[in-house]
Short mmCIF file of all heavy atoms in Angstrom, two decimals:
data_model
loop_
_atom_site.label_atom_id
_atom_site.label_comp_id
_atom_site.label_asym_id
_atom_site.label_seq_id
_atom_site.Cartn_x
_atom_site.Cartn_y
_atom_site.Cartn_z
N GLY X 73 0.83 -1.20 0.00
CA GLY X 73 0.00 0.00 0.00
C GLY X 73 0.86 1.24 0.00
O GLY X 73 1.66 1.46 -0.93
N ASP X 74 0.73 2.05 1.05
CA ASP X 74 1.51 3.29 1.13
C ASP X 74 2.76 3.13 2.00
O ASP X 74 3.38 4.11 2.38
CB ASP X 74 0.64 4.44 1.64
CG ASP X 74 0.07 4.16 3.03
OD1 ASP X 74 0.25 3.03 3.55
OD2 ASP X 74 -0.56 5.07 3.60
N ARG X 75 3.13 1.88 2.33
CA ARG X 75 4.31 1.63 3.16
C ARG X 75 5.37 0.86 2.38
O ARG X 75 5.06 0.05 1.51
CB ARG X 75 3.94 0.78 4.39
CG ARG X 75 3.09 1.47 5.42
CD ARG X 75 2.94 0.57 6.65
NE ARG X 75 2.49 -0.77 6.28
CZ ARG X 75 3.09 -1.90 6.66
NH1 ARG X 75 4.18 -1.85 7.41
NH2 ARG X 75 2.62 -3.08 6.30
N LYS X 76 6.61 1.12 2.73
CA LYS X 76 7.72 0.35 2.20
C LYS X 76 8.52 -0.25 3.36
O LYS X 76 8.77 0.43 4.36
CB LYS X 76 8.65 1.22 1.34
CG LYS X 76 8.24 1.38 -0.11
CD LYS X 76 9.30 2.16 -0.87
CE LYS X 76 9.10 2.10 -2.38
NZ LYS X 76 7.75 2.44 -2.82
N ILE X 77 8.91 -1.50 3.21
CA ILE X 77 9.82 -2.17 4.15
C ILE X 77 11.05 -2.58 3.36
O ILE X 77 10.94 -3.19 2.29
CB ILE X 77 9.15 -3.41 4.78
CG1 ILE X 77 7.97 -3.00 5.66
CG2 ILE X 77 10.17 -4.21 5.59
CD1 ILE X 77 7.17 -4.17 6.19
N HIS X 78 12.23 -2.24 3.88
CA HIS X 78 13.48 -2.52 3.17
C HIS X 78 14.25 -3.63 3.88
O HIS X 78 14.43 -3.59 5.10
CB HIS X 78 14.34 -1.26 3.10
CG HIS X 78 13.63 -0.07 2.58
ND1 HIS X 78 13.25 0.06 1.27
CD2 HIS X 78 13.21 1.07 3.21
CE1 HIS X 78 12.64 1.21 1.09
NE2 HIS X 78 12.61 1.85 2.25
N VAL X 79 14.71 -4.62 3.13
CA VAL X 79 15.51 -5.73 3.68
C VAL X 79 16.90 -5.68 3.05
O VAL X 79 17.02 -5.60 1.82
CB VAL X 79 14.86 -7.10 3.40
CG1 VAL X 79 15.74 -8.23 3.93
CG2 VAL X 79 13.48 -7.16 4.05
N LEU X 80 17.93 -5.74 3.88
CA LEU X 80 19.31 -5.71 3.40
C LEU X 80 19.85 -7.12 3.18
O LEU X 80 19.57 -8.02 3.97
CB LEU X 80 20.21 -4.96 4.40
CG LEU X 80 19.75 -3.56 4.84
CD1 LEU X 80 20.83 -2.93 5.72
CD2 LEU X 80 19.43 -2.67 3.66
N ALA X 81 20.59 -7.29 2.11
CA ALA X 81 21.35 -8.52 1.83
C ALA X 81 20.48 -9.77 1.78
O ALA X 81 20.92 -10.87 2.14
CB ALA X 81 22.46 -8.71 2.87
N GLU X 82 19.23 -9.61 1.34
CA GLU X 82 18.30 -10.75 1.22
C GLU X 82 18.05 -11.44 2.55
O GLU X 82 17.68 -12.61 2.61
CB GLU X 82 18.81 -11.77 0.19
CG GLU X 82 19.03 -11.19 -1.19
CD GLU X 82 19.63 -12.20 -2.16
OE1 GLU X 82 19.71 -13.40 -1.80
OE2 GLU X 82 20.01 -11.81 -3.27
N GLY X 83 18.31 -10.74 3.64
CA GLY X 83 18.15 -11.34 4.96
C GLY X 83 19.34 -12.19 5.37
O GLY X 83 19.30 -12.86 6.41
N ARG X 84 20.40 -12.17 4.56
CA ARG X 84 21.61 -12.93 4.90
C ARG X 84 22.51 -12.09 5.81
O ARG X 84 22.19 -10.96 6.15
CB ARG X 84 22.34 -13.34 3.62
CG ARG X 84 21.51 -14.25 2.72
CD ARG X 84 22.32 -14.74 1.53
NE ARG X 84 21.49 -15.51 0.60
CZ ARG X 84 21.21 -16.80 0.75
NH1 ARG X 84 21.70 -17.46 1.79
NH2 ARG X 84 20.46 -17.44 -0.12
N LEU X 85 23.63 -12.67 6.17
CA LEU X 85 24.56 -12.05 7.11
C LEU X 85 24.99 -10.67 6.61
O LEU X 85 25.80 -10.56 5.68
CB LEU X 85 25.77 -12.97 7.27
CG LEU X 85 26.73 -12.75 8.43
CD1 LEU X 85 26.01 -12.89 9.76
CD2 LEU X 85 27.87 -13.73 8.34
N VAL X 86 24.48 -9.61 7.23
CA VAL X 86 24.57 -8.28 6.64
C VAL X 86 26.00 -7.76 6.54
O VAL X 86 26.35 -7.05 5.58
CB VAL X 86 23.69 -7.28 7.42
CG1 VAL X 86 24.25 -6.99 8.81
CG2 VAL X 86 23.50 -5.98 6.63
N ASN X 87 26.85 -8.12 7.48
CA ASN X 87 28.20 -7.55 7.47
C ASN X 87 29.07 -8.10 6.35
O ASN X 87 30.10 -7.53 6.03
CB ASN X 87 28.89 -7.76 8.83
CG ASN X 87 29.12 -9.22 9.16
OD1 ASN X 87 28.49 -10.10 8.60
ND2 ASN X 87 30.03 -9.47 10.07
N LEU X 88 28.63 -9.20 5.73
CA LEU X 88 29.40 -9.78 4.64
C LEU X 88 28.64 -9.84 3.32
O LEU X 88 29.24 -9.84 2.25
CB LEU X 88 29.84 -11.20 5.01
CG LEU X 88 31.08 -11.31 5.91
CD1 LEU X 88 31.10 -12.64 6.63
CD2 LEU X 88 32.34 -11.11 5.10
N ALA X 89 27.32 -9.93 3.38
CA ALA X 89 26.54 -10.22 2.18
C ALA X 89 26.14 -9.00 1.37
O ALA X 89 25.78 -9.13 0.19
CB ALA X 89 25.28 -11.02 2.56
N VAL X 90 26.16 -7.79 1.96
CA VAL X 90 25.90 -6.60 1.15
C VAL X 90 27.12 -6.33 0.28
O VAL X 90 28.24 -6.73 0.62
CB VAL X 90 25.58 -5.37 2.02
CG1 VAL X 90 24.27 -5.54 2.76
CG2 VAL X 90 26.71 -5.05 2.99
N PRO X 91 26.94 -5.65 -0.87
CA PRO X 91 28.08 -5.42 -1.77
C PRO X 91 29.28 -4.74 -1.09
O PRO X 91 30.42 -5.01 -1.45
CB PRO X 91 27.48 -4.52 -2.85
CG PRO X 91 26.04 -4.93 -2.91
CD PRO X 91 25.66 -5.21 -1.48
N LYS X 92 29.02 -3.87 -0.11
CA LYS X 92 30.12 -3.17 0.56
C LYS X 92 30.50 -3.81 1.89
O LYS X 92 31.27 -3.25 2.66
CB LYS X 92 29.74 -1.71 0.77
CG LYS X 92 29.55 -0.94 -0.54
CD LYS X 92 29.20 0.51 -0.28
CE LYS X 92 29.01 1.27 -1.60
NZ LYS X 92 28.63 2.69 -1.39
N GLY X 93 29.99 -5.01 2.14
CA GLY X 93 30.30 -5.69 3.41
C GLY X 93 31.72 -6.21 3.45
O GLY X 93 32.15 -6.92 2.54
N MET X 94 32.46 -5.88 4.49
CA MET X 94 33.85 -6.29 4.63
C MET X 94 34.04 -7.34 5.72
O MET X 94 35.14 -7.80 5.97
CB MET X 94 34.73 -5.07 4.93
CG MET X 94 34.78 -4.04 3.82
SD MET X 94 35.48 -4.71 2.29
CE MET X 94 37.18 -4.94 2.79
N GLY X 95 32.94 -7.71 6.41
CA GLY X 95 33.08 -8.66 7.50
C GLY X 95 33.69 -8.03 8.74
O GLY X 95 33.84 -6.81 8.83
N HIS X 96 34.04 -8.87 9.68
CA HIS X 96 34.60 -8.39 10.95
C HIS X 96 35.92 -7.64 10.71
O HIS X 96 36.67 -7.96 9.79
CB HIS X 96 34.88 -9.56 11.89
CG HIS X 96 33.64 -10.15 12.49
ND1 HIS X 96 32.37 -9.68 12.22
CD2 HIS X 96 33.48 -11.20 13.35
CE1 HIS X 96 31.49 -10.39 12.89
NE2 HIS X 96 32.13 -11.32 13.57
N PRO X 97 36.23 -6.67 11.57
CA PRO X 97 37.50 -5.97 11.47
C PRO X 97 38.68 -6.94 11.52
O PRO X 97 38.62 -7.99 12.17
CB PRO X 97 37.50 -5.04 12.69
CG PRO X 97 36.05 -4.81 12.98
CD PRO X 97 35.38 -6.10 12.64
N ILE X 98 39.76 -6.58 10.85
CA ILE X 98 40.92 -7.46 10.70
C ILE X 98 41.47 -7.91 12.05
O ILE X 98 41.74 -9.10 12.26
CB ILE X 98 42.03 -6.74 9.89
CG1 ILE X 98 41.53 -6.40 8.47
CG2 ILE X 98 43.28 -7.60 9.81
CD1 ILE X 98 42.45 -5.46 7.72
N GLU X 99 41.66 -6.96 12.98
CA GLU X 99 42.29 -7.30 14.26
C GLU X 99 41.47 -8.32 15.03
O GLU X 99 42.01 -9.16 15.77
CB GLU X 99 42.49 -6.04 15.11
CG GLU X 99 43.45 -5.04 14.52
CD GLU X 99 42.77 -3.98 13.66
OE1 GLU X 99 41.63 -4.24 13.19
OE2 GLU X 99 43.35 -2.91 13.46
N VAL X 100 40.15 -8.26 14.89
CA VAL X 100 39.27 -9.22 15.55
C VAL X 100 39.46 -10.61 14.96
O VAL X 100 39.61 -11.61 15.67
CB VAL X 100 37.80 -8.77 15.44
CG1 VAL X 100 36.86 -9.93 15.76
CG2 VAL X 100 37.52 -7.62 16.39
N MET X 101 39.49 -10.69 13.64
CA MET X 101 39.63 -11.99 12.99
C MET X 101 41.03 -12.56 13.17
O MET X 101 41.23 -13.78 13.06
CB MET X 101 39.28 -11.90 11.51
CG MET X 101 37.80 -11.61 11.25
SD MET X 101 36.66 -12.64 12.22
CE MET X 101 37.10 -14.28 11.65
#
């Protein structure tokens, strides 16, 4: 109707699955 709902990365792991996702910071990994 008059509402929009936005889902990122198809509902997958957002920190890695979006085009600009880099995953966890290097020092952590």
Side-chain angles (χ1 to χ4, degrees):
D74 59 354
R75 291 186 308 128
K76 275 185 168 51
I77 294 174
H78 308 290
V79 178
L80 308 186
E82 302 176 9
R84 299 185 185 277
L85 195 61
V86 70
N87 64 340
L88 280 158
V90 293
K92 296 181 180 178
M94 296 298 292
H96 287 359
I98 298 168
E99 295 92 339
V100 164
M101 292 313 299

